[in-house]
Amino acid sequence: MNNVLAAQNSVIVKRMYMFVRGDNMAVVGIVAGGTGSRMGADRPKQMLDLCGKPVLIRTAEAFAGHKQIEHIIIGIHADWYDEVKELAEKYFGSAVTVTKGGSDRNETVQRIIETAKGFPDVNDDTIILTHDAVRPFVTEKMIDDSIEAMEKYAICTAAVSATDTIVVSKDGSTVSDFPIRSTMFQVQTPQTFRIGRFSEVYNGLSDKEREQITDVCKLFYRKGYEVGLVEGDRKNIKLTYPSDMAFAEKLFIS
Amino acid sequence: MNNVLAAQNSVIVKRMYMFVRGDNMAVVGIVAGGTGSRMGADRPKQMLDLCGKPVLIRTAEAFAGHKQIEHIIIGIHADWYDEVKELAEKYFGSAVTVTKGGSDRNETVQRIIETAKGFPDVNDDTIILTHDAVRPFVTEKMIDDSIEAMEKYAICTAAVSATDTIVVSKDGSTVSDFPIRSTMFQVQTPQTFRIGRFSEVYNGLSDKEREQITDVCKLFYRKGYEVGLVEGDRKNIKLTYPSDMAFAEKLFIS
């Protein structure tokens, strides 16, 4: 009981401190539900080695040093839960929490949020940055900008202007439209919103909608919310194909 | 005079042979007009070293071995003409022709076509594959498919389905549309068409249209032609940023 009181007091002190600083405390949800079939490896891509540590540990490290990040929660496929729990303890002690992911991305986000709600300093207003486990090159600036954007938008996503010309093809054989190049953006993560808002949007969906809309930003957009863009980075790549790992190693060393 | 006759005879024999084989002869135009400012180097990116040879020499090599390619023409920025001419002679003897590029991409293509027309075996029906000098990873299959597509389309381009989610933002701050992901493609090169068709389309444009439309496929599309898609490759990247060079080296070695 004393421990609980102590914890509550510590939370109150921290909140007061945050209030004085004018900061927003935030939680990170690292989404690692995939099984990595496209990587052609026997391990999911977030489990592959990147210069001595698994990719998802590198990704967690990128958030761990940020002053506004209070909790990091990894949502991992059930098959990898034990191994990731062990890794998280090895590298972060109790600073990183591991939870089992759901059957799709949004369900994994939902489970991460449920886990976050278990912390005494987390409530519906708490900001959560959801991030792909396979994007270890997220920058401090992206985290700053994402948190700041919460003063303006219900949801925001990191994005970069499209490098290549993008065309639309309805049949996959011929071009059906040439959209204006300067209006096309490639979505990255983090995707950031307040915890309560996600539950409100997600619980308001039909099963069919949940199945069809795999992108959180699109969920919010569908429900009438404006989706803000924050500046991503070309290096903030999603490690998807085997060749990406070689690229990531080069990036990591430089 | 005897040489000219011999050359003409050789062309006639080659054409007959091609007719019997049912092959299409093709020309490659390597577009290297850029000055590489985005690469942050003092040399255009096509001139940077890729495992011992300049990028554009690697690109030319990728086409040089193909059975249907008869001529390779490099269109290069005037500042680099002398150096590239020397390089082409060093690596390819007389098999690769160098010409000065124009003030934009389409004008460079136009100049390459004028150069191509100087060859006795080239006419309006000749297929030309136009290709970015900074995409050295074009494959034989892409070349095959591009030439084959000329039986069906007036123009085709290599493309890959978009890896990232693509969103539309008119103001660069918020998302204005979520296009259907499966319909979005990233355009690569080669972009392939018949020589006479390009001149017809290009000469039919106003100065303003020429200035505004920098993409050859879009030019054709604007003039009512169907634009075919051939399967590109994720590795067929455009070397644009400094980090791309490290990636290219890894790809080249593997």
Side-chain angles (χ1 to χ4, degrees):
Chain A
M1 194 59 174
N2 275 349
N3 279 347
V4 172
L5 282 175
Q8 281 177 347
N9 282 337
S10 137
V11 168
I12 289 162
V13 169
K14 191 181 258 175
R15 289 238 149 169
M16 284 171 66
Y17 179 63
M18 276 162 41
F19 182 77
V20 171
R21 284 195 309 173
D23 282 353
N24 281 306
M25 179 270 268
V27 173
V28 173
I30 296 180
V31 185
T35 53
S37 54
R38 280 195 286 187
M39 193 60 93
D42 58 351
R43 295 166 71 76
K45 48 203 179 304
Q46 61 269 17
M47 301 301 290
L48 299 181
D49 180 86
L50 175 57
C51 301
K53 294 179 188 174
V55 167
L56 73 72
I57 297 299
R58 295 290 183 195
T59 303
E61 280 178 344
F63 287 99
H66 194 280
K67 62 186 185 303
Q68 282 165 279
I69 303 298
E70 290 293 315
H71 304 286
I72 297 175
I73 302 162
I74 298 174
I76 187 84
H77 195 279
D79 291 355
W80 296 90
Y81 177 77
D82 291 337
E83 189 169 338
V84 169
K85 206 168 154 56
E86 213 169 282
L87 279 171
E89 272 160 22
K90 177 181 165 190
Y91 288 105
F92 303 102
S94 62
V96 170
T97 308
V98 182
T99 186
K100 284 179 191 168
S103 61
D104 61 29
R105 187 185 176 88
N106 288 334
E107 212 179 294
T108 300
V109 170
Q110 178 70 0
R111 294 210 183 163
I112 288 171
I113 285 175
E114 278 163 24
T115 305
K117 283 181 172 171
F119 294 111
D121 56 346
V122 169
N123 61 36
D124 277 355
D125 284 339
T126 303
I127 291 168
I128 184 164
L129 296 95
T130 58
H131 190 70
D132 296 329
V134 289
R135 291 197 195 261
F137 299 108
V138 55
T139 65
E140 193 182 344
K141 188 177 180 304
M142 267 183 256
I143 302 171
D144 288 343
D145 292 352
S146 298
I147 294 172
E148 204 191 314
M150 287 300 96
E151 290 169 22
K152 216 171 158 185
Y153 303 109
I155 187 163
C156 71
T157 180
V160 290
S161 59
T163 314
D164 291 319
T165 299
I166 303 287
V167 294
V168 180
S169 173
K170 286 178 190 165
D171 61 2
S173 307
T174 59
V175 175
S176 39
D177 193 21
F178 284 86
I180 301 165
R181 185 170 172 165
S182 59
T183 66
M184 306 304 281
F185 289 81
Q186 292 166 243
V187 170
Q188 301 184 334
T189 66
Q191 300 189 338
T192 308
F193 40 86
R194 292 185 196 274
I195 278 179
R197 198 62 65 82
F198 179 82
S199 301
E200 175 205 314
V201 167
Y202 193 69
N203 294 333
L205 294 173
S206 68
D207 284 351
K208 200 179 166 191
E209 283 176 307
R210 283 188 202 175
E211 210 173 285
Q212 283 178 338
I213 308 176
T214 56
D215 189 281
V216 180
C217 290
K218 202 167 174 180
L219 285 184
F220 274 66
Y221 185 76
R222 176 70 67 94
K223 290 291 166 189
Y225 290 107
E226 212 173 30
V227 179
L229 296 179
V230 302
E231 202 180 334
D233 192 310
R234 306 234 161 258
K235 290 181 188 162
N236 182 28
I237 58 162
K238 187 171 181 175
L239 304 176
T240 310
Y241 300 95
S243 57
D244 293 338
M245 289 307 294
F247 184 43
E249 273 164 36
K250 278 268 185 186
L251 268 184
F252 199 82
I253 292 161
S254 65
Chain B
M1 195 62 172
N2 276 348
N3 279 347
V4 173
L5 282 175
Q8 282 177 347
N9 282 337
S10 138
V11 168
I12 290 162
V13 169
K14 190 181 262 178
R15 288 238 153 168
M16 285 171 65
Y17 179 62
M18 276 160 41
F19 182 77
V20 171
R21 285 194 308 172
D23 281 354
N24 281 306
M25 180 270 268
V27 173
V28 173
I30 296 181
V31 184
T35 54
S37 54
R38 280 195 288 187
M39 193 57 95
D42 58 350
R43 294 166 72 75
K45 46 203 182 301
Q46 61 270 17
M47 301 301 290
L48 299 181
D49 179 86
L50 177 56
C51 301
K53 293 180 189 174
V55 167
L56 74 71
I57 296 299
R58 294 290 182 196
T59 303
E61 280 178 345
F63 288 99
H66 194 280
K67 60 185 187 302
Q68 281 164 277
I69 304 298
E70 290 294 315
H71 304 286
I72 297 176
I73 302 163
I74 299 175
I76 188 84
H77 194 278
D79 292 353
W80 296 91
Y81 177 77
D82 291 337
E83 188 169 338
V84 169
K85 206 168 154 55
E86 212 168 282
L87 279 171
E89 273 162 22
K90 176 179 164 190
Y91 288 106
F92 302 103
S94 61
V96 170
T97 308
V98 182
T99 186
K100 285 179 191 167
S103 61
D104 61 29
R105 189 186 176 88
N106 288 334
E107 211 179 294
T108 301
V109 170
Q110 177 70 1
R111 295 212 181 161
I112 287 170
I113 285 175
E114 278 162 25
T115 304
K117 283 179 171 172
F119 294 111
D121 56 348
V122 169
N123 60 36
D124 277 355
D125 285 339
T126 304
I127 291 167
I128 183 164
L129 297 94
T130 58
H131 189 70
D132 296 328
V134 289
R135 290 197 196 262
F137 299 107
V138 55
T139 65
E140 191 181 344
K141 188 177 180 300
M142 267 182 256
I143 301 171
D144 287 344
D145 292 351
S146 298
I147 294 171
E148 204 190 314
M150 287 300 96
E151 290 169 22
K152 217 172 157 184
Y153 303 109
I155 187 162
C156 71
T157 180
V160 290
S161 60
T163 314
D164 291 318
T165 299
I166 303 288
V167 293
V168 180
S169 173
K170 286 179 189 163
D171 61 2
S173 306
T174 59
V175 175
S176 38
D177 194 21
F178 284 85
I180 300 164
R181 185 169 172 163
S182 60
T183 65
M184 306 305 281
F185 290 80
Q186 294 167 240
V187 170
Q188 301 183 334
T189 65
Q191 299 188 338
T192 307
F193 40 87
R194 292 184 197 275
I195 278 179
R197 198 62 65 84
F198 178 83
S199 302
E200 176 204 314
V201 167
Y202 193 67
N203 294 333
L205 293 174
S206 67
D207 285 350
K208 199 178 165 192
E209 281 176 310
R210 282 187 202 176
E211 211 173 282
Q212 282 177 339
I213 308 174
T214 55
D215 189 281
V216 180
C217 290
K218 203 169 173 178
L219 285 183
F220 275 66
Y221 185 77
R222 175 71 67 93
K223 291 289 166 192
Y225 290 108
E226 213 173 29
V227 179
L229 296 180
V230 303
E231 202 180 334
D233 192 308
R234 307 234 159 258
K235 288 181 191 164
N236 181 28
I237 57 163
K238 186 172 181 174
L239 304 177
T240 310
Y241 300 95
S243 57
D244 294 339
M245 290 305 296
F247 183 43
E249 274 165 34
K250 276 271 184 182
L251 269 182
F252 198 83
I253 293 161
S254 67

